[in-house]
């Protein structure tokens, strides 16, 4: 299997293909920043149906499968879809501002988490393994599709990214990535789409379906500073198991008439809590 050599970036309803290599090497951080700035400076408008295209990945699967067969199996649509699906990962340059605010920790964290979970339901490509979401105020997070890996994989990736950024790469005094720009690097390429009216109707239907699901999600997060994983490990307990047990206990106390069953998978040595309603 060949490694992908490009990413796809979504910004203001447009899709851009960005090569990660130039002259046989990976782009340096300052060069990647240059490519992102070129996208931000691009004033072109979305093509018909382009802005909300990713809603097809957020709604029911059957309409998306039928649209793929009918409208994305040939021509420019197939080439652009191949660019998205063969990209190393997907990036959204989000126009909103998110992140933790000390003056309003609960609401800000709730909004931050909800945005990473589903955004506007058309600005994350939910079929990709993961989408990096970069907000207008510089905050960043990940939307990950769960079937290929458990959460610790993304956690380790994120720890690597953050530590490398802080300890090895760093920034210049003016806030830019260290290094120089490179005018010889080709500009990001706009992906081209020809989305007929019938497909645009399916996109809107999928978006409505996704919005109903998103609006039905209540998400509340808050900072917990009483203790961390260090104390849990001193008790010779896995932090993951500790949290899983806490979730089960909270659920049991809240829904005493339910039974919690742990389903075990011996091969991968993980388990998930499955709440089942007890029949009376």
């Amino acid at each position: 299997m060949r490694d992908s050599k490009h990413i796809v970036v979504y910004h203001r309803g447009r899709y851009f293909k960005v090569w990660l290599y130039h002259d046989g090497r990976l782009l340096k951080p300052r060069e990647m920043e240059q490519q992102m700035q070129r996208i931000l400076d691009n004033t072109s408008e979305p093509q018909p149906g382009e802005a909300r295209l990713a809603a097809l990945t957020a709604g029911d699967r059957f309409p998306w499968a039928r649209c793929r067969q009918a409208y994305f199996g040939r021509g420019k649509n197939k080439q652009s879809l191949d660019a998205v699906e063969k990209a190393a990962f997907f990036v959204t340059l989000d126009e909103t501002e998110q992140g933790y605010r000390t003056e309003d920790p609960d609401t800000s964290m709730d909004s931050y988490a909800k945005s990473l979970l589903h955004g506007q339901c058309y600005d994350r490509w939910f079929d990709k393994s993961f989408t990096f979401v970069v907000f207008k105020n510089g905050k960043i997070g990940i939307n990950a599709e769960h079937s290929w890996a458990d959460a610790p994989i993304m956690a380790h990736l994120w720890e690597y990214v953050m530590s490398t950024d802080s300890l090895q790469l760093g920034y210049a005094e003016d806030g830019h990535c260290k290094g120089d720009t490179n005018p010889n690097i080709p500009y990001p390429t706009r992906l081209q789409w020809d989305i007929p009216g019938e497909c645009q109707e399916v996109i809107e239907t999928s978006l409505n379906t996704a919005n109903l699901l998103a609006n039905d999600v209540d998400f509340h997060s808050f900072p917990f500073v009483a203790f961390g994983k260090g104390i849990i490990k001193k008790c010779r307990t896995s932090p993951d198991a500790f949290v899983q047990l806490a979730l089960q206990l909270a659920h049991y106390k809240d829904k005493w008439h339910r039974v919690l069953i742990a389903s075990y998978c011996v091969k991968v040595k993980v388990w998930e809590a499955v709440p089942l309603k007890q029949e009376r």
Side-chain angles (χ1 to χ4, degrees):
M1 183 177 178
R2 294 182 178 179
D3 291 338
S4 180
K5 290 182 168 52
H6 74 276
I7 59 174
V8 168
V9 179
Y10 177 93
H11 176 244
R12 286 201 312 107
R14 298 89 44 83
Y15 289 79
F16 296 84
K17 182 178 181 179
V18 181
W19 290 105
L20 300 174
Y21 289 80
H22 180 69
D23 285 341
R25 60 166 177 81
L26 275 169
L27 295 186
K28 298 177 182 178
R30 186 67 178 93
E31 294 168 338
M32 182 59 70
E33 178 190 345
Q34 168 186 300
Q35 296 298 77
M36 295 300 107
Q37 189 61 52
R38 286 172 168 177
I39 292 175
L40 293 172
D41 293 340
N42 189 299
T43 59
S44 61
E45 294 296 322
Q47 300 158 86
E50 180 183 17
R52 297 181 172 183
L53 175 62
L56 289 172
T57 69
D60 294 332
R61 305 305 292 173
F62 286 121
W64 176 209
R66 288 191 288 267
C67 277
R68 286 180 64 99
Q69 185 175 21
Y71 307 115
F72 296 89
R74 56 192 174 277
K76 63 177 67 175
N77 285 351
K78 184 179 188 306
Q79 292 178 357
S80 294
L81 181 61
D82 283 347
V84 174
E85 295 189 329
K86 293 178 181 179
F89 50 87
F90 195 81
V91 176
T92 294
L93 300 181
D94 199 297
E95 284 291 281
T96 66
E97 295 187 0
Q98 300 289 346
Y100 174 78
R101 299 192 304 273
T102 54
E103 68 274 13
D104 188 12
D106 292 352
T107 302
S108 63
M109 288 297 290
D110 294 350
S111 176
Y112 194 9
K114 283 269 288 179
S115 182
L116 289 174
L117 185 63
H118 53 68
Q120 299 186 73
C121 297
Y122 60 76
D123 50 1
R124 287 93 171 96
W125 196 275
F126 294 101
D127 286 353
K128 291 299 290 181
S129 296
F130 59 90
T131 295
F132 277 119
V133 184
V134 186
F135 296 99
K136 196 172 184 178
N137 56 343
K139 299 297 183 179
I140 186 172
I142 301 175
N143 176 289
E145 195 277 314
H146 193 15
S147 66
W148 65 281
D150 275 340
I153 304 301
M154 295 307 302
H156 294 322
L157 167 65
W158 199 236
E159 287 180 352
Y160 175 81
V161 169
M162 296 298 291
S163 61
T164 302
D165 183 69
S166 175
L167 302 177
Q168 297 181 24
L169 299 177
Y171 298 87
E173 292 183 359
D174 59 3
H176 293 286
C177 295
K178 292 181 178 179
D180 300 318
T181 58
N182 187 342
N184 297 321
I185 297 176
Y187 274 65
T189 304
R190 273 291 306 272
L191 297 186
Q192 299 299 308
W193 308 94
D194 181 14
I195 304 175
E198 298 86 350
C199 183
Q200 294 182 40
E201 292 178 3
V202 179
I203 291 173
E204 292 302 315
T205 300
S206 294
L207 179 59
N208 291 335
T209 299
N211 278 330
L212 288 174
L213 292 172
N215 293 333
D216 195 39
V217 173
D218 292 325
F219 199 116
H220 180 56
S221 59
F222 59 92
F224 181 82
V225 296
F227 59 87
K229 65 181 181 182
I231 291 181
I232 298 174
K233 288 183 176 180
K234 287 181 179 179
C235 298
R236 302 178 65 183
T237 302
S238 161
D240 178 69
F242 181 89
V243 173
Q244 292 278 5
L245 289 171
L247 291 172
Q248 291 207 41
L249 179 60
H251 185 81
Y252 178 78
K253 288 186 173 181
D254 183 55
K255 305 291 184 182
W256 60 270
H257 59 284
R258 293 173 181 266
V259 176
L260 293 174
I261 300 177
S263 61
Y264 293 85
C265 179
V266 177
K267 291 184 178 180
V268 295
K269 298 182 180 179
V270 299
W271 61 273
E272 297 290 343
V274 183
L276 299 176
K277 183 175 180 181
Q278 180 181 11
E279 296 296 332
R280 289 181 175 271

